Amino acid sequence: MSSNTMIDAEDIFGELKTKNTPARKGKARGRKVGADLLAELKVKMVMRIYGASRARAMEIIAGRAGERQALEHAQEEARAAKRPHRFRGDESMAIEEFFGA
C-alpha cells in the first residue's frame, strides 16, 4: 500500500448493514420498579390521610420505619432471652454454677 491508496470502510469495519436497520428514536424511558411505585403510593396515602405536604409525609414514613425497626429489635431480644443459652467451646462455666450449688 502506498500513502495515496484509499481504504474502504467495509475493509475496516467489515460488511456494513445499512438496509433494514431500525431508525434510532428518542431515548427510551425506563420503567419504574415495583418498590418505587409502592414508595410513591405510601407517600400519596400519607399525604391524603394527614393532609401533609410531600416532605412532611416522607418524614412521617421515615419515623414510622424507625419505630418498626426498634420494635423488631426488641422482639428479637425477647426471643433470644427466652431461648436457652448454648455454650460454645470458648466459653467456660464454673462447676458450682453448672450444678447449681
Side-chain angles (χ1 to χ4, degrees):
M1 283 183 140
S2 67
S3 61
N4 294 337
T5 307
M6 297 282 286
I7 300 175
D8 291 335
E10 289 179 336
D11 293 337
I12 297 173
F13 301 109
E15 184 180 327
L16 295 175
K17 293 186 178 183
T18 55
K19 296 180 182 179
N20 299 328
T21 55
R24 288 191 66 171
K25 295 183 180 177
K27 225 178 195 181
R29 295 185 343 188
R31 289 185 150 183
K32 287 193 175 185
V33 180
D36 294 338
L37 294 173
L38 180 62
E40 185 66 24
L41 179 65
K42 282 183 191 178
V43 171
K44 286 183 180 182
M45 285 176 56
V46 171
M47 287 172 64
R48 285 186 189 152
I49 291 169
Y50 291 102
S53 65
R54 177 174 293 279
R56 178 66 182 133
M58 292 174 80
E59 288 174 7
I60 292 170
I61 293 169
R64 295 289 171 95
E67 290 174 7
R68 182 181 306 123
Q69 286 178 346
L71 177 63
E72 288 174 356
H73 181 68
Q75 288 174 345
E76 183 60 34
E77 287 180 350
R79 278 190 219 112
K82 288 180 182 178
R83 283 186 245 143
H85 181 69
R86 296 185 181 177
F87 289 104
R88 295 183 214 126
D90 58 345
E91 295 179 2
S92 61
M93 176 185 240
I95 292 177
E96 293 83 19
E97 291 179 34
F98 183 74
F99 289 110

